[in-house]
Amino acid sequence: MKAKIAVLVFALAAVAPSAWAQEDPLGELSQITGLSERKVQMILGNRTSFAEYPYTYQRSLEKFVDAVGEVRYEQLMSGQPVELQSADGRRIVFQIRDRELTTL
């Protein structure tokens, strides 16, 4: 029984790093801009589906544009790839494809 558990733990440890390496573009962009993931979704997607839209959209949009820059915001919204630097110094390229935020 202990051998089975040990093999299972070893197998999970071998597979887990690839699962942890998956990037979360929404989370990364949230950290870069200082906004919550929900607010980033509201800015990049269909804003009217969020109940707080009438009250917080404009402030959140201004904060987002201040963080990434107006030119980069326009590029991102037009579907072009945009390179941003994370807090830990990594350069991440974001792009909106088929209404979904991805990293390249």
Side-chain angles (χ1 to χ4, degrees):
M1 184 67 176
K2 289 182 182 179
K4 287 182 184 179
I5 292 173
V7 168
L8 181 62
V9 168
F10 180 73
L12 287 174
V15 174
S18 64
W20 291 330
Q22 298 262 335
E23 291 186 29
D24 175 24
L26 195 60
E28 294 282 349
L29 195 51
S30 173
Q31 288 178 347
I32 290 170
T33 60
L35 294 168
S36 69
E37 289 185 21
R38 183 168 172 82
K39 293 211 172 156
V40 171
Q41 281 180 321
M42 180 176 64
I43 291 167
L44 299 179
N46 181 6
R47 61 183 173 245
T48 57
S49 63
F50 293 86
E52 68 272 20
Y53 154 68
Y55 309 106
T56 64
Y57 178 77
Q58 192 60 40
R59 283 181 294 181
S60 299
L61 177 62
E62 289 169 4
K63 188 172 181 180
F64 186 92
V65 172
D66 285 344
V68 300
E70 191 169 337
V71 172
R72 287 187 181 135
Y73 169 74
E74 293 295 331
Q75 290 172 335
L76 183 64
M77 295 307 287
S78 68
Q80 298 174 19
V82 174
E83 183 177 294
L84 300 172
Q85 187 168 351
S86 67
D88 60 358
R90 293 183 302 128
R91 295 193 174 272
I92 306 169
V93 179
F94 296 95
Q95 186 174 17
I96 298 177
R97 288 191 213 167
D98 301 323
R99 296 189 193 173
E100 186 174 321
L101 181 67
T102 59
T103 55
L104 305 175

